[in-house]
Amino acid sequence: SAPSSREQLRSAEFGVFLTRCDQVPHLRIAHPSRRHLDAPDCNVICDLEADPQQQNPLHNPEIEAGLADRLQRRVIECDAPDSEFVRVGLTPSESRTG
């Protein structure tokens, strides 16, 4: 979405922040994340094969931990900035650089 104020644009950073952008600079504009309207206060996980309409969320800490681990590995592989870890509810990895 577009920046909501001139102040956001004034505080934006311009540079190369991602290793996969072929050295093309871009703007980094701070914008707080927020939940969707009526979103539950939890991670909704559904078995799409058994529940394609996503009517019965799973409440399984082991599955959630495994999915969070897989997400963290992918975010690291993408060399995402620390702000992306925070945005998706993960802790930036100490084993990576940047």
Side-chain angles (χ1 to χ4, degrees):
S1 66
S4 62
S5 71
R6 290 181 186 265
E7 187 56 41
Q8 276 186 304
L9 288 174
R10 277 194 219 65
S11 64
E13 298 174 74
F14 183 72
V16 177
F17 305 108
L18 305 172
T19 59
R20 296 182 179 200
C21 69
D22 294 325
Q23 296 300 306
V24 175
H26 50 277
L27 285 175
R28 180 164 54 187
I29 301 170
H31 188 78
S33 291
R34 64 187 194 294
R35 299 189 81 73
H36 289 273
L37 179 65
D38 297 327
D41 193 24
C42 64
N43 294 315
V44 179
I45 302 168
C46 295
D47 180 340
L48 297 179
E49 289 181 12
D51 181 19
Q53 299 300 315
Q54 302 177 31
Q55 299 297 310
N56 302 296
L58 303 173
H59 299 283
N60 185 315
E62 289 94 22
I63 291 174
E64 185 169 352
L67 290 171
D69 184 57
R70 287 173 58 188
L71 177 60
Q72 179 134 0
R73 285 195 309 259
R74 288 294 298 145
V75 173
I76 290 169
E77 288 172 13
C78 292
D79 198 30
D82 287 350
S83 60
E84 188 62 18
F85 284 82
V86 174
R87 188 186 73 78
V88 298
L90 299 172
T91 302
S93 174
E94 296 174 5
S95 64
R96 69 187 198 106
T97 58

